[in-house]
Amino acid sequence: MSMSKRRFIQALGAATAVTAMGASVAATRNRRYDLLVIGAGTAGIPAAIFAAARGASVLVIDAAATIGGTLLLTSGQMSAAGTRVQKQQGIDDTPELFFQDLIRISRGTVDQPIARLAVDNAATTFDWLMDNGYPLLPGYPVEGVAHEPYSKPRYYWSDLRGIGILDAMRPKFTQAINAGKVDLLLEHRAVELRTNAAGSVAAVVVEDAGGKRTEYRPRNVLLASGGYASNAAMFEKLSGHPKYLDGSYPFALGQGHVLAESVGGYLRYAEKYLTNFGILLATSTIPSTKLATTIFHPQQRQPWEIYVNTSGKRFVREDVPSVDAREQALHFQPHLRHWVVFDQTVLDKAPPMLEGWTRDDLVSALKGPDANFFRSETIQGLAKAIGVPEKALADTVEGYNYGVHTGNDFFGRKHLPTKLQQAPYYAIQHQGTSITSTAGIAVNEALQVIRRDQSAIPNLYAAGEILGAGATQGQAFCGGMMVTPALTFGRLLGERMIRLG
Ligand SMILES: Cc1cc2nc3c(=O)[nH]c(=O)nc-3n(C[C@H](O)[C@H](O)[C@H](O)COP(=O)(O)OP(=O)(O)OC[C@H]3O[C@@H](n4cnc5c(N)ncnc54)[C@H](O)[C@@H]3O)c2cc1C
């Protein structure tokens, strides 16, 4: 069983207490709620907590049998500037510096008003989680983990990953349910939005697990239904690449996107799709689970190998310190695929390359046959095995060996420990992937869903991954800039941005 599935099942156990408290449909049917939240996940839970604290009556529905959404699976890395934890540690940081970092890392491709709203309010969100027992790992915040580092340590993490965030919010959510301020219907899916003559949402049609439909007429609706990464067809249509990797939340099906579009909303930012650098897929049928992750950060392990694309050519300086530079280079390679190529000398001398794998694990995998691991006595044989042009791969290796000999690598690579000339030769296939949704529903600065003419649907709001990674990260991966904005926008909408009454 994959790590993410195991965590998901563990978390299901933890969520049972809330599941049992779900309201009955009969009790909810005739109430005119101030707010109906579609999705009890990262954005939806804080929205309900803060709206209830403001005195609103709230109905939360979720398609799943448990609350939590992607928090059950996510790494849950957050970023925030100006937090209490930073002050306690003497870290001088501000939302302005955070915003400048986002502009630098995304090369100006974030949606600036949306990103500004997120960073200006992230510290309050994070401090609130800390007040509620968020189990911050010792040694945090740091500048970076998996993505391009920030200029200040503002990156927070828990060894409970997203469940650490859910556990911090769960008591407040449960209290609001117990106090009768929030009604929760699990295994209830929003299937239709109905508008009135003025274009506002007049009704939400909700379907239970048995297919029975109920119409609710709330004053406001929040789409907090997450992304579309578990909808393979939608993912491929919007990203231009197949859904290679499993591991997104099973209910991230883009249903909220379809609902928003049905009342005049529209999608934007699909063009900002970016891939993570390659991983090893467990199977050739996709979406696949992950078999292993290669250590590509030269800060952790300098590369001894070369990376080649489907043309048998190198495409990036393998020891480039920037994570973003590697990702951008892979973004332009066919099928987002590459092979790590090396020889027997590298296998004998280099430090382990796959996270958590010993050298013996690698040696036995390389004996094959396997869809990821290839071995041949000649470069030409290796090229044939991986399906790239033989002469091109031979030229690539020869060109690389010239760089090792002279110190003048064609790509400017500095770490050139050994020529690749000792048979057998090896290749490990890597696949670029992403398991989040880049495109999102267009909103204005009040987080109201807007139509193509930029007019707002007054009582329809959206928060979380439904806004698209392209909004908060641009065409880049900016650490923590999905979880933190989802929590923050949920909080802000509940606390003050949704117009009640
Ligand atoms: C493995 C993984 C690792 C990640 N790591 C990070 C990270 O470290 N840092 C970071 O910033 N981001 C990370 N992300 C992304 C981030 O976790 C998500 O973008 C974020 O949690 C999504 O929050 P959300 O509220 O939009 O959606 P969710 O938390 O998924 O909540 C949406 C809820 O809506 C429900 N729903 C869907 N459709 C309907 C419907 N029609 N009716 C009723 N309910 C519905 C779902 O069941 C779900 O409970 C990661 C994502 C994954 C998958």
PDB file of all heavy atoms in Angstrom, residues 258-282:
ATOM      1  N   VAL A 258     -16.974  22.696 -12.535  1.00  0.00           N
ATOM      2  CA  VAL A 258     -18.099  22.533 -13.458  1.00  0.00           C
ATOM      3  C   VAL A 258     -19.304  23.332 -12.948  1.00  0.00           C
ATOM      4  O   VAL A 258     -19.994  24.006 -13.722  1.00  0.00           O
ATOM      5  CB  VAL A 258     -18.444  21.030 -13.620  1.00  0.00           C
ATOM      6  CG1 VAL A 258     -19.691  20.828 -14.466  1.00  0.00           C
ATOM      7  CG2 VAL A 258     -17.247  20.279 -14.217  1.00  0.00           C
ATOM      8  N   LEU A 259     -19.510  23.293 -11.635  1.00  0.00           N
ATOM      9  CA  LEU A 259     -20.636  24.048 -11.057  1.00  0.00           C
ATOM     10  C   LEU A 259     -20.440  25.546 -11.303  1.00  0.00           C
ATOM     11  O   LEU A 259     -21.380  26.245 -11.703  1.00  0.00           O
ATOM     12  CB  LEU A 259     -20.732  23.778  -9.551  1.00  0.00           C
ATOM     13  CG  LEU A 259     -21.181  22.376  -9.123  1.00  0.00           C
ATOM     14  CD1 LEU A 259     -21.073  22.219  -7.610  1.00  0.00           C
ATOM     15  CD2 LEU A 259     -22.617  22.103  -9.586  1.00  0.00           C
ATOM     16  N   ALA A 260     -19.232  26.031 -11.068  1.00  0.00           N
ATOM     17  CA  ALA A 260     -18.970  27.467 -11.264  1.00  0.00           C
ATOM     18  C   ALA A 260     -19.179  27.853 -12.728  1.00  0.00           C
ATOM     19  O   ALA A 260     -19.788  28.885 -13.033  1.00  0.00           O
ATOM     20  CB  ALA A 260     -17.550  27.805 -10.813  1.00  0.00           C
ATOM     21  N   GLU A 261     -18.699  27.003 -13.623  1.00  0.00           N
ATOM     22  CA  GLU A 261     -18.860  27.307 -15.056  1.00  0.00           C
ATOM     23  C   GLU A 261     -20.340  27.300 -15.454  1.00  0.00           C
ATOM     24  O   GLU A 261     -20.757  28.076 -16.310  1.00  0.00           O
ATOM     25  CB  GLU A 261     -18.097  26.285 -15.900  1.00  0.00           C
ATOM     26  CG  GLU A 261     -16.588  26.534 -15.904  1.00  0.00           C
ATOM     27  CD  GLU A 261     -15.851  25.565 -16.818  1.00  0.00           C
ATOM     28  OE1 GLU A 261     -15.967  24.352 -16.583  1.00  0.00           O
ATOM     29  OE2 GLU A 261     -15.175  26.029 -17.754  1.00  0.00           O
ATOM     30  N   SER A 262     -21.112  26.445 -14.790  1.00  0.00           N
ATOM     31  CA  SER A 262     -22.526  26.332 -15.169  1.00  0.00           C
ATOM     32  C   SER A 262     -23.308  27.615 -14.864  1.00  0.00           C
ATOM     33  O   SER A 262     -24.384  27.823 -15.413  1.00  0.00           O
ATOM     34  CB  SER A 262     -23.178  25.145 -14.449  1.00  0.00           C
ATOM     35  OG  SER A 262     -23.395  25.467 -13.082  1.00  0.00           O
ATOM     36  N   VAL A 263     -22.782  28.463 -13.973  1.00  0.00           N
ATOM     37  CA  VAL A 263     -23.498  29.711 -13.667  1.00  0.00           C
ATOM     38  C   VAL A 263     -22.733  30.939 -14.189  1.00  0.00           C
ATOM     39  O   VAL A 263     -22.942  32.060 -13.733  1.00  0.00           O
ATOM     40  CB  VAL A 263     -23.789  29.848 -12.144  1.00  0.00           C
ATOM     41  CG1 VAL A 263     -24.785  28.783 -11.702  1.00  0.00           C
ATOM     42  CG2 VAL A 263     -22.508  29.789 -11.312  1.00  0.00           C
ATOM     43  N   GLY A 264     -21.810  30.703 -15.115  1.00  0.00           N
ATOM     44  CA  GLY A 264     -21.149  31.835 -15.772  1.00  0.00           C
ATOM     45  C   GLY A 264     -19.686  32.028 -15.414  1.00  0.00           C
ATOM     46  O   GLY A 264     -19.004  32.868 -16.002  1.00  0.00           O
ATOM     47  N   GLY A 265     -19.164  31.263 -14.434  1.00  0.00           N
ATOM     48  CA  GLY A 265     -17.743  31.371 -14.088  1.00  0.00           C
ATOM     49  C   GLY A 265     -16.875  30.801 -15.198  1.00  0.00           C
ATOM     50  O   GLY A 265     -17.379  30.140 -16.119  1.00  0.00           O
ATOM     51  N   TYR A 266     -15.582  31.061 -15.137  1.00  0.00           N
ATOM     52  CA  TYR A 266     -14.696  30.528 -16.177  1.00  0.00           C
ATOM     53  C   TYR A 266     -13.339  30.161 -15.593  1.00  0.00           C
ATOM     54  O   TYR A 266     -12.959  30.623 -14.512  1.00  0.00           O
ATOM     55  CB  TYR A 266     -14.558  31.528 -17.336  1.00  0.00           C
ATOM     56  CG  TYR A 266     -13.789  32.789 -16.996  1.00  0.00           C
ATOM     57  CD1 TYR A 266     -12.448  32.931 -17.346  1.00  0.00           C
ATOM     58  CD2 TYR A 266     -14.400  33.850 -16.334  1.00  0.00           C
ATOM     59  CE1 TYR A 266     -11.740  34.094 -17.038  1.00  0.00           C
ATOM     60  CE2 TYR A 266     -13.710  35.010 -16.025  1.00  0.00           C
ATOM     61  CZ  TYR A 266     -12.378  35.132 -16.380  1.00  0.00           C
ATOM     62  OH  TYR A 266     -11.677  36.267 -16.061  1.00  0.00           O
ATOM     63  N   LEU A 267     -12.633  29.332 -16.356  1.00  0.00           N
ATOM     64  CA  LEU A 267     -11.318  28.831 -15.915  1.00  0.00           C
ATOM     65  C   LEU A 267     -10.210  29.704 -16.484  1.00  0.00           C
ATOM     66  O   LEU A 267     -10.285  30.165 -17.623  1.00  0.00           O
ATOM     67  CB  LEU A 267     -11.119  27.404 -16.434  1.00  0.00           C
ATOM     68  CG  LEU A 267     -11.806  26.293 -15.650  1.00  0.00           C
ATOM     69  CD1 LEU A 267     -11.774  24.997 -16.441  1.00  0.00           C
ATOM     70  CD2 LEU A 267     -11.115  26.093 -14.303  1.00  0.00           C
ATOM     71  N   ARG A 268      -9.136  29.857 -15.698  1.00  0.00           N
ATOM     72  CA  ARG A 268      -7.961  30.589 -16.196  1.00  0.00           C
ATOM     73  C   ARG A 268      -6.693  29.906 -15.673  1.00  0.00           C
ATOM     74  O   ARG A 268      -6.753  29.073 -14.781  1.00  0.00           O
ATOM     75  CB  ARG A 268      -8.019  32.054 -15.753  1.00  0.00           C
ATOM     76  CG  ARG A 268      -8.024  32.223 -14.256  1.00  0.00           C
ATOM     77  CD  ARG A 268      -8.199  33.686 -13.859  1.00  0.00           C
ATOM     78  NE  ARG A 268      -8.246  33.824 -12.406  1.00  0.00           N
ATOM     79  CZ  ARG A 268      -8.495  34.952 -11.768  1.00  0.00           C
ATOM     80  NH1 ARG A 268      -8.743  36.057 -12.440  1.00  0.00           N
ATOM     81  NH2 ARG A 268      -8.506  34.995 -10.450  1.00  0.00           N
ATOM     82  N   TYR A 269      -5.562  30.297 -16.208  1.00  0.00           N
ATOM     83  CA  TYR A 269      -4.214  29.898 -15.761  1.00  0.00           C
ATOM     84  C   TYR A 269      -3.775  28.487 -16.135  1.00  0.00           C
ATOM     85  O   TYR A 269      -2.747  28.017 -15.639  1.00  0.00           O
ATOM     86  CB  TYR A 269      -4.036  30.086 -14.243  1.00  0.00           C
ATOM     87  CG  TYR A 269      -4.254  31.503 -13.783  1.00  0.00           C
ATOM     88  CD1 TYR A 269      -4.820  31.788 -12.543  1.00  0.00           C
ATOM     89  CD2 TYR A 269      -3.905  32.574 -14.597  1.00  0.00           C
ATOM     90  CE1 TYR A 269      -5.026  33.097 -12.120  1.00  0.00           C
ATOM     91  CE2 TYR A 269      -4.106  33.885 -14.194  1.00  0.00           C
ATOM     92  CZ  TYR A 269      -4.671  34.133 -12.963  1.00  0.00           C
ATOM     93  OH  TYR A 269      -4.875  35.427 -12.552  1.00  0.00           O
ATOM     94  N   ALA A 270      -4.508  27.820 -17.047  1.00  0.00           N
ATOM     95  CA  ALA A 270      -4.064  26.482 -17.490  1.00  0.00           C
ATOM     96  C   ALA A 270      -2.664  26.553 -18.079  1.00  0.00           C
ATOM     97  O   ALA A 270      -1.873  25.614 -17.943  1.00  0.00           O
ATOM     98  CB  ALA A 270      -5.042  25.928 -18.524  1.00  0.00           C
ATOM     99  N   GLU A 271      -2.323  27.688 -18.699  1.00  0.00           N
ATOM    100  CA  GLU A 271      -1.022  27.814 -19.368  1.00  0.00           C
ATOM    101  C   GLU A 271       0.137  27.856 -18.367  1.00  0.00           C
ATOM    102  O   GLU A 271       1.302  27.793 -18.748  1.00  0.00           O
ATOM    103  CB  GLU A 271      -1.005  29.074 -20.261  1.00  0.00           C
ATOM    104  CG  GLU A 271      -0.925  30.421 -19.532  1.00  0.00           C
ATOM    105  CD  GLU A 271      -2.222  30.860 -18.833  1.00  0.00           C
ATOM    106  OE1 GLU A 271      -3.236  30.140 -18.934  1.00  0.00           O
ATOM    107  OE2 GLU A 271      -2.222  31.918 -18.173  1.00  0.00           O
ATOM    108  N   LYS A 272      -0.168  27.950 -17.074  1.00  0.00           N
ATOM    109  CA  LYS A 272       0.912  28.021 -16.070  1.00  0.00           C
ATOM    110  C   LYS A 272       1.332  26.640 -15.565  1.00  0.00           C
ATOM    111  O   LYS A 272       2.062  26.539 -14.583  1.00  0.00           O
ATOM    112  CB  LYS A 272       0.477  28.911 -14.903  1.00  0.00           C
ATOM    113  CG  LYS A 272       0.186  30.331 -15.377  1.00  0.00           C
ATOM    114  CD  LYS A 272      -0.020  31.306 -14.251  1.00  0.00           C
ATOM    115  CE  LYS A 272      -0.481  32.633 -14.846  1.00  0.00           C
ATOM    116  NZ  LYS A 272      -0.352  33.759 -14.003  1.00  0.00           N
ATOM    117  N   TYR A 273       0.870  25.602 -16.241  1.00  0.00           N
ATOM    118  CA  TYR A 273       1.225  24.243 -15.790  1.00  0.00           C
ATOM    119  C   TYR A 273       2.745  24.084 -15.721  1.00  0.00           C
ATOM    120  O   TYR A 273       3.472  24.512 -16.608  1.00  0.00           O
ATOM    121  CB  TYR A 273       0.652  23.184 -16.754  1.00  0.00           C
ATOM    122  CG  TYR A 273       1.033  21.781 -16.317  1.00  0.00           C
ATOM    123  CD1 TYR A 273       0.364  21.166 -15.270  1.00  0.00           C
ATOM    124  CD2 TYR A 273       2.099  21.112 -16.912  1.00  0.00           C
ATOM    125  CE1 TYR A 273       0.731  19.905 -14.831  1.00  0.00           C
ATOM    126  CE2 TYR A 273       2.481  19.844 -16.477  1.00  0.00           C
ATOM    127  CZ  TYR A 273       1.785  19.257 -15.433  1.00  0.00           C
ATOM    128  OH  TYR A 273       2.162  18.013 -14.989  1.00  0.00           O
ATOM    129  N   LEU A 274       3.201  23.445 -14.662  1.00  0.00           N
ATOM    130  CA  LEU A 274       4.625  23.123 -14.519  1.00  0.00           C
ATOM    131  C   LEU A 274       4.740  21.736 -13.909  1.00  0.00           C
ATOM    132  O   LEU A 274       3.897  21.335 -13.100  1.00  0.00           O
ATOM    133  CB  LEU A 274       5.324  24.155 -13.618  1.00  0.00           C
ATOM    134  CG  LEU A 274       6.836  23.934 -13.404  1.00  0.00           C
ATOM    135  CD1 LEU A 274       7.621  24.028 -14.708  1.00  0.00           C
ATOM    136  CD2 LEU A 274       7.395  24.955 -12.405  1.00  0.00           C
ATOM    137  N   THR A 275       5.791  21.016 -14.309  1.00  0.00           N
ATOM    138  CA  THR A 275       6.006  19.687 -13.762  1.00  0.00           C
ATOM    139  C   THR A 275       7.041  19.724 -12.639  1.00  0.00           C
ATOM    140  O   THR A 275       7.958  20.533 -12.675  1.00  0.00           O
ATOM    141  CB  THR A 275       6.501  18.734 -14.869  1.00  0.00           C
ATOM    142  OG1 THR A 275       6.767  17.462 -14.290  1.00  0.00           O
ATOM    143  CG2 THR A 275       7.776  19.229 -15.529  1.00  0.00           C
ATOM    144  N   ASN A 276       6.863  18.839 -11.666  1.00  0.00           N
ATOM    145  CA  ASN A 276       7.951  18.582 -10.728  1.00  0.00           C
ATOM    146  C   ASN A 276       9.030  17.810 -11.464  1.00  0.00           C
ATOM    147  O   ASN A 276       8.749  17.148 -12.468  1.00  0.00           O
ATOM    148  CB  ASN A 276       7.461  17.721  -9.562  1.00  0.00           C
ATOM    149  CG  ASN A 276       6.643  18.514  -8.571  1.00  0.00           C
ATOM    150  OD1 ASN A 276       7.141  19.420  -7.934  1.00  0.00           O
ATOM    151  ND2 ASN A 276       5.365  18.187  -8.458  1.00  0.00           N
ATOM    152  N   PHE A 277      10.269  17.848 -10.972  1.00  0.00           N
ATOM    153  CA  PHE A 277      11.315  17.069 -11.614  1.00  0.00           C
ATOM    154  C   PHE A 277      11.005  15.587 -11.401  1.00  0.00           C
ATOM    155  O   PHE A 277      10.241  15.213 -10.516  1.00  0.00           O
ATOM    156  CB  PHE A 277      12.693  17.450 -11.067  1.00  0.00           C
ATOM    157  CG  PHE A 277      13.763  17.302 -12.113  1.00  0.00           C
ATOM    158  CD1 PHE A 277      13.808  18.155 -13.209  1.00  0.00           C
ATOM    159  CD2 PHE A 277      14.712  16.296 -12.034  1.00  0.00           C
ATOM    160  CE1 PHE A 277      14.771  18.012 -14.193  1.00  0.00           C
ATOM    161  CE2 PHE A 277      15.683  16.140 -13.011  1.00  0.00           C
ATOM    162  CZ  PHE A 277      15.711  16.994 -14.092  1.00  0.00           C
ATOM    163  N   GLY A 278      11.625  14.739 -12.233  1.00  0.00           N
ATOM    164  CA  GLY A 278      11.169  13.359 -12.360  1.00  0.00           C
ATOM    165  C   GLY A 278      11.246  12.481 -11.124  1.00  0.00           C
ATOM    166  O   GLY A 278      12.110  12.648 -10.268  1.00  0.00           O
ATOM    167  N   ILE A 279      10.326  11.547 -11.097  1.00  0.00           N
ATOM    168  CA  ILE A 279      10.319  10.481 -10.096  1.00  0.00           C
ATOM    169  C   ILE A 279      10.240   9.144 -10.829  1.00  0.00           C
ATOM    170  O   ILE A 279      10.047   9.108 -12.035  1.00  0.00           O
ATOM    171  CB  ILE A 279       9.115  10.598  -9.153  1.00  0.00           C
ATOM    172  CG1 ILE A 279       7.830  10.673  -9.983  1.00  0.00           C
ATOM    173  CG2 ILE A 279       9.221  11.757  -8.218  1.00  0.00           C
ATOM    174  CD1 ILE A 279       6.694   9.973  -9.341  1.00  0.00           C
ATOM    175  N   LEU A 280      10.361   8.062 -10.109  1.00  0.00           N
ATOM    176  CA  LEU A 280      10.205   6.732 -10.702  1.00  0.00           C
ATOM    177  C   LEU A 280       8.779   6.273 -10.441  1.00  0.00           C
ATOM    178  O   LEU A 280       8.340   6.208  -9.277  1.00  0.00           O
ATOM    179  CB  LEU A 280      11.180   5.733 -10.062  1.00  0.00           C
ATOM    180  CG  LEU A 280      12.626   5.766 -10.548  1.00  0.00           C
ATOM    181  CD1 LEU A 280      13.340   7.019 -10.058  1.00  0.00           C
ATOM    182  CD2 LEU A 280      13.366   4.537 -10.057  1.00  0.00           C
ATOM    183  N   LEU A 281       8.052   5.993 -11.510  1.00  0.00           N
ATOM    184  CA  LEU A 281       6.693   5.474 -11.357  1.00  0.00           C
ATOM    185  C   LEU A 281       6.757   3.976 -11.047  1.00  0.00           C
ATOM    186  O   LEU A 281       7.638   3.275 -11.546  1.00  0.00           O
ATOM    187  CB  LEU A 281       5.892   5.680 -12.641  1.00  0.00           C
ATOM    188  CG  LEU A 281       5.602   7.124 -13.057  1.00  0.00           C
ATOM    189  CD1 LEU A 281       4.839   7.150 -14.379  1.00  0.00           C
ATOM    190  CD2 LEU A 281       4.809   7.862 -11.979  1.00  0.00           C
ATOM    191  N   ALA A 282       5.796   3.503 -10.255  1.00  0.00           N
ATOM    192  CA  ALA A 282       5.811   2.078  -9.872  1.00  0.00           C
ATOM    193  C   ALA A 282       5.317   1.179 -10.997  1.00  0.00           C
ATOM    194  O   ALA A 282       5.739   0.036 -11.102  1.00  0.00           O
ATOM    195  CB  ALA A 282       4.969   1.870  -8.620  1.00  0.00           C
TER     196      ALA A 282
END
